[in-house]
Amino acid sequence: MSLHIYLDRKDIPEGLSLIRENDVFFNGMTCLQNDKATCKILHDIDGAVYNSKDTIIGKKRSLGALNKSYLSTGAKTILNIKEHPDKCFSLLECGNNVLKLLHLLTEGHAFLDGRICISGKRFPCDIEFGGKIYTDFIEFTGGVITAMNGEE
């Protein structure tokens, strides 16, 4: 399976739930995993470290373990996509620091809401967009820009 990205709501397959309230969904439905991708997401987005399925150690290490609800909306969103590949999550509240980590995901669904990040770096990825599979993140971002401009 690939990470499927949609620019238009009408392209989201019928029956696939679109989640727009990423914070609420994450806080109630998503557990943290102690794996390489989760640890990179926590570190790169929030400067946090995995502690347990429900807790992190934040930037201020002296505070000790914090509930996962203290993560940013961006971190919550990409972790929602990672852990719930049967749902589609809006990326509207995600900044470039989140969008450039999409290459870490190998499955799931995301609604891009017409925004794009150019990372400037080549990363392998497994993203399906516009009926094409992208295995290079720079090629994917170019494909999105082309689609946003209405080019073929």
Side-chain angles (χ1 to χ4, degrees):
M1 185 172 188
S2 301
L3 173 63
H4 299 267
I5 303 215
Y6 311 98
L7 281 182
D8 195 318
R9 186 175 165 97
K10 71 177 174 27
D11 295 330
I12 299 171
E14 190 173 322
L16 184 64
S17 300
L18 174 60
I19 309 297
R20 291 187 180 270
E21 295 180 7
N22 285 297
D23 287 310
V24 173
F25 187 92
F26 179 88
N27 293 342
M29 303 297 289
T30 302
C31 292
L32 299 173
Q33 302 299 315
N34 189 12
D35 60 35
K36 188 175 180 178
T38 298
C39 291
K40 180 161 180 57
I41 290 165
L42 292 174
H43 176 268
D44 288 6
I45 297 173
D46 287 345
V49 176
Y50 173 90
N51 189 64
S52 75
K53 68 180 185 74
D54 293 314
T55 61
I56 58 161
I57 304 294
K59 286 181 183 178
K60 291 188 177 185
R61 307 292 192 239
S62 62
L63 295 176
L66 300 171
N67 187 276
K68 65 184 182 180
S69 66
Y70 283 95
L71 289 169
S72 67
T73 299
K76 290 176 181 180
T77 300
I78 196 167
L79 290 168
N80 279 340
I81 296 167
K82 179 181 171 295
E83 297 303 322
H84 303 278
D86 59 331
K87 307 247 185 280
C88 185
F89 295 90
S90 171
L91 296 171
L92 182 63
E93 297 178 296
C94 296
N96 288 346
N97 62 331
V98 175
L99 299 177
K100 72 181 184 181
L101 294 176
L102 289 176
H103 73 277
L104 296 173
L105 305 178
T106 58
E107 62 179 337
H109 301 269
F111 180 45
L112 193 52
D113 295 272
R115 296 178 52 226
I116 189 60
C117 160
I118 303 289
S119 70
K121 295 182 181 176
R122 293 206 174 273
F123 299 105
C125 66
D126 186 10
I127 297 175
E128 182 177 327
F129 173 75
K132 182 177 176 186
I133 299 290
Y134 292 88
T135 58
D136 181 275
F137 195 69
I138 293 294
E139 290 175 13
F140 160 70
T141 58
V144 172
I145 289 170
T146 299
M148 289 173 63
N149 292 331
E151 302 168 16
E152 289 293 323

PDB file of all heavy atoms in Angstrom, residues 28-44:
ATOM      1  N   GLY A  28      -7.872  10.815  21.693  1.00  0.00           N
ATOM      2  CA  GLY A  28      -8.733   9.711  22.074  1.00  0.00           C
ATOM      3  C   GLY A  28      -8.437   8.380  21.413  1.00  0.00           C
ATOM      4  O   GLY A  28      -8.801   7.336  21.946  1.00  0.00           O
ATOM      5  N   MET A  29      -7.775   8.395  20.254  1.00  0.00           N
ATOM      6  CA  MET A  29      -7.680   7.169  19.459  1.00  0.00           C
ATOM      7  C   MET A  29      -6.267   6.687  19.126  1.00  0.00           C
ATOM      8  O   MET A  29      -6.101   5.560  18.691  1.00  0.00           O
ATOM      9  CB  MET A  29      -8.431   7.364  18.131  1.00  0.00           C
ATOM     10  CG  MET A  29      -9.887   7.748  18.292  1.00  0.00           C
ATOM     11  SD  MET A  29     -10.872   6.493  19.112  1.00  0.00           S
ATOM     12  CE  MET A  29     -10.931   5.246  17.862  1.00  0.00           C
ATOM     13  N   THR A  30      -5.261   7.532  19.268  1.00  0.00           N
ATOM     14  CA  THR A  30      -3.926   7.173  18.790  1.00  0.00           C
ATOM     15  C   THR A  30      -2.967   6.938  19.952  1.00  0.00           C
ATOM     16  O   THR A  30      -2.845   7.787  20.840  1.00  0.00           O
ATOM     17  CB  THR A  30      -3.360   8.266  17.857  1.00  0.00           C
ATOM     18  OG1 THR A  30      -4.267   8.431  16.769  1.00  0.00           O
ATOM     19  CG2 THR A  30      -1.990   7.889  17.322  1.00  0.00           C
ATOM     20  N   CYS A  31      -2.294   5.797  19.925  1.00  0.00           N
ATOM     21  CA  CYS A  31      -1.242   5.483  20.891  1.00  0.00           C
ATOM     22  C   CYS A  31       0.104   5.665  20.203  1.00  0.00           C
ATOM     23  O   CYS A  31       0.242   5.389  19.010  1.00  0.00           O
ATOM     24  CB  CYS A  31      -1.363   4.052  21.389  1.00  0.00           C
ATOM     25  SG  CYS A  31      -2.827   3.778  22.405  1.00  0.00           S
ATOM     26  N   LEU A  32       1.067   6.104  20.956  1.00  0.00           N
ATOM     27  CA  LEU A  32       2.418   6.259  20.413  1.00  0.00           C
ATOM     28  C   LEU A  32       3.087   4.896  20.290  1.00  0.00           C
ATOM     29  O   LEU A  32       2.908   4.036  21.152  1.00  0.00           O
ATOM     30  CB  LEU A  32       3.253   7.151  21.334  1.00  0.00           C
ATOM     31  CG  LEU A  32       2.742   8.573  21.535  1.00  0.00           C
ATOM     32  CD1 LEU A  32       3.566   9.285  22.603  1.00  0.00           C
ATOM     33  CD2 LEU A  32       2.776   9.347  20.228  1.00  0.00           C
ATOM     34  N   GLN A  33       3.837   4.713  19.230  1.00  0.00           N
ATOM     35  CA  GLN A  33       4.595   3.485  19.014  1.00  0.00           C
ATOM     36  C   GLN A  33       6.078   3.777  19.237  1.00  0.00           C
ATOM     37  O   GLN A  33       6.553   4.851  18.885  1.00  0.00           O
ATOM     38  CB  GLN A  33       4.377   2.962  17.589  1.00  0.00           C
ATOM     39  CG  GLN A  33       2.923   2.696  17.250  1.00  0.00           C
ATOM     40  CD  GLN A  33       2.295   1.645  18.140  1.00  0.00           C
ATOM     41  OE1 GLN A  33       2.871   0.604  18.398  1.00  0.00           O
ATOM     42  NE2 GLN A  33       1.086   1.928  18.620  1.00  0.00           N
ATOM     43  N   ASN A  34       6.790   2.836  19.783  1.00  0.00           N
ATOM     44  CA  ASN A  34       8.228   2.998  19.992  1.00  0.00           C
ATOM     45  C   ASN A  34       8.959   2.425  18.770  1.00  0.00           C
ATOM     46  O   ASN A  34       9.564   1.362  18.837  1.00  0.00           O
ATOM     47  CB  ASN A  34       8.676   2.308  21.276  1.00  0.00           C
ATOM     48  CG  ASN A  34      10.111   2.646  21.637  1.00  0.00           C
ATOM     49  OD1 ASN A  34      10.704   3.555  21.075  1.00  0.00           O
ATOM     50  ND2 ASN A  34      10.654   1.896  22.574  1.00  0.00           N
ATOM     51  N   ASP A  35       8.850   3.133  17.653  1.00  0.00           N
ATOM     52  CA  ASP A  35       9.514   2.704  16.423  1.00  0.00           C
ATOM     53  C   ASP A  35      10.286   3.878  15.826  1.00  0.00           C
ATOM     54  O   ASP A  35      10.153   5.019  16.278  1.00  0.00           O
ATOM     55  CB  ASP A  35       8.514   2.110  15.416  1.00  0.00           C
ATOM     56  CG  ASP A  35       7.425   3.082  15.005  1.00  0.00           C
ATOM     57  OD1 ASP A  35       7.685   4.295  14.900  1.00  0.00           O
ATOM     58  OD2 ASP A  35       6.291   2.632  14.773  1.00  0.00           O
ATOM     59  N   LYS A  36      11.103   3.571  14.829  1.00  0.00           N
ATOM     60  CA  LYS A  36      11.995   4.568  14.244  1.00  0.00           C
ATOM     61  C   LYS A  36      11.245   5.778  13.678  1.00  0.00           C
ATOM     62  O   LYS A  36      11.626   6.926  13.922  1.00  0.00           O
ATOM     63  CB  LYS A  36      12.842   3.902  13.149  1.00  0.00           C
ATOM     64  CG  LYS A  36      13.939   4.753  12.595  1.00  0.00           C
ATOM     65  CD  LYS A  36      14.784   3.962  11.602  1.00  0.00           C
ATOM     66  CE  LYS A  36      15.890   4.824  11.031  1.00  0.00           C
ATOM     67  NZ  LYS A  36      16.742   4.072  10.103  1.00  0.00           N
ATOM     68  N   ALA A  37      10.164   5.533  12.934  1.00  0.00           N
ATOM     69  CA  ALA A  37       9.420   6.633  12.316  1.00  0.00           C
ATOM     70  C   ALA A  37       8.787   7.533  13.378  1.00  0.00           C
ATOM     71  O   ALA A  37       8.883   8.763  13.297  1.00  0.00           O
ATOM     72  CB  ALA A  37       8.358   6.099  11.363  1.00  0.00           C
ATOM     73  N   THR A  38       8.144   6.940  14.377  1.00  0.00           N
ATOM     74  CA  THR A  38       7.518   7.736  15.439  1.00  0.00           C
ATOM     75  C   THR A  38       8.558   8.567  16.174  1.00  0.00           C
ATOM     76  O   THR A  38       8.354   9.757  16.424  1.00  0.00           O
ATOM     77  CB  THR A  38       6.755   6.829  16.425  1.00  0.00           C
ATOM     78  OG1 THR A  38       5.714   6.157  15.724  1.00  0.00           O
ATOM     79  CG2 THR A  38       6.173   7.629  17.579  1.00  0.00           C
ATOM     80  N   CYS A  39       9.678   7.952  16.502  1.00  0.00           N
ATOM     81  CA  CYS A  39      10.728   8.675  17.229  1.00  0.00           C
ATOM     82  C   CYS A  39      11.267   9.848  16.410  1.00  0.00           C
ATOM     83  O   CYS A  39      11.518  10.929  16.948  1.00  0.00           O
ATOM     84  CB  CYS A  39      11.846   7.717  17.633  1.00  0.00           C
ATOM     85  SG  CYS A  39      11.318   6.549  18.921  1.00  0.00           S
ATOM     86  N   LYS A  40      11.423   9.666  15.099  1.00  0.00           N
ATOM     87  CA  LYS A  40      11.893  10.750  14.230  1.00  0.00           C
ATOM     88  C   LYS A  40      10.850  11.865  14.165  1.00  0.00           C
ATOM     89  O   LYS A  40      11.196  13.051  14.245  1.00  0.00           O
ATOM     90  CB  LYS A  40      12.218  10.237  12.835  1.00  0.00           C
ATOM     91  CG  LYS A  40      12.722  11.342  11.900  1.00  0.00           C
ATOM     92  CD  LYS A  40      13.451  10.804  10.709  1.00  0.00           C
ATOM     93  CE  LYS A  40      13.959  11.891   9.777  1.00  0.00           C
ATOM     94  NZ  LYS A  40      14.831  12.887  10.374  1.00  0.00           N
ATOM     95  N   ILE A  41       9.587  11.507  14.033  1.00  0.00           N
ATOM     96  CA  ILE A  41       8.512  12.497  13.991  1.00  0.00           C
ATOM     97  C   ILE A  41       8.486  13.306  15.286  1.00  0.00           C
ATOM     98  O   ILE A  41       8.446  14.540  15.264  1.00  0.00           O
ATOM     99  CB  ILE A  41       7.155  11.803  13.729  1.00  0.00           C
ATOM    100  CG1 ILE A  41       7.108  11.281  12.290  1.00  0.00           C
ATOM    101  CG2 ILE A  41       5.989  12.739  14.031  1.00  0.00           C
ATOM    102  CD1 ILE A  41       5.998  10.274  12.023  1.00  0.00           C
ATOM    103  N   LEU A  42       8.518  12.633  16.425  1.00  0.00           N
ATOM    104  CA  LEU A  42       8.504  13.317  17.721  1.00  0.00           C
ATOM    105  C   LEU A  42       9.688  14.276  17.844  1.00  0.00           C
ATOM    106  O   LEU A  42       9.528  15.434  18.246  1.00  0.00           O
ATOM    107  CB  LEU A  42       8.549  12.304  18.867  1.00  0.00           C
ATOM    108  CG  LEU A  42       7.329  11.416  19.050  1.00  0.00           C
ATOM    109  CD1 LEU A  42       7.587  10.377  20.133  1.00  0.00           C
ATOM    110  CD2 LEU A  42       6.091  12.235  19.367  1.00  0.00           C
ATOM    111  N   HIS A  43      10.863  13.798  17.488  1.00  0.00           N
ATOM    112  CA  HIS A  43      12.078  14.604  17.597  1.00  0.00           C
ATOM    113  C   HIS A  43      12.075  15.793  16.642  1.00  0.00           C
ATOM    114  O   HIS A  43      12.308  16.938  17.041  1.00  0.00           O
ATOM    115  CB  HIS A  43      13.316  13.733  17.350  1.00  0.00           C
ATOM    116  CG  HIS A  43      14.583  14.518  17.345  1.00  0.00           C
ATOM    117  ND1 HIS A  43      15.120  15.038  16.186  1.00  0.00           N
ATOM    118  CD2 HIS A  43      15.412  14.883  18.351  1.00  0.00           C
ATOM    119  CE1 HIS A  43      16.220  15.704  16.479  1.00  0.00           C
ATOM    120  NE2 HIS A  43      16.416  15.620  17.786  1.00  0.00           N
ATOM    121  N   ASP A  44      11.804  15.523  15.360  1.00  0.00           N
ATOM    122  CA  ASP A  44      11.926  16.572  14.348  1.00  0.00           C
ATOM    123  C   ASP A  44      10.851  17.648  14.454  1.00  0.00           C
ATOM    124  O   ASP A  44      11.109  18.810  14.160  1.00  0.00           O
ATOM    125  CB  ASP A  44      11.899  15.967  12.936  1.00  0.00           C
ATOM    126  CG  ASP A  44      13.168  15.207  12.606  1.00  0.00           C
ATOM    127  OD1 ASP A  44      14.047  15.041  13.489  1.00  0.00           O
ATOM    128  OD2 ASP A  44      13.287  14.761  11.455  1.00  0.00           O
TER     129      ASP A  44
END
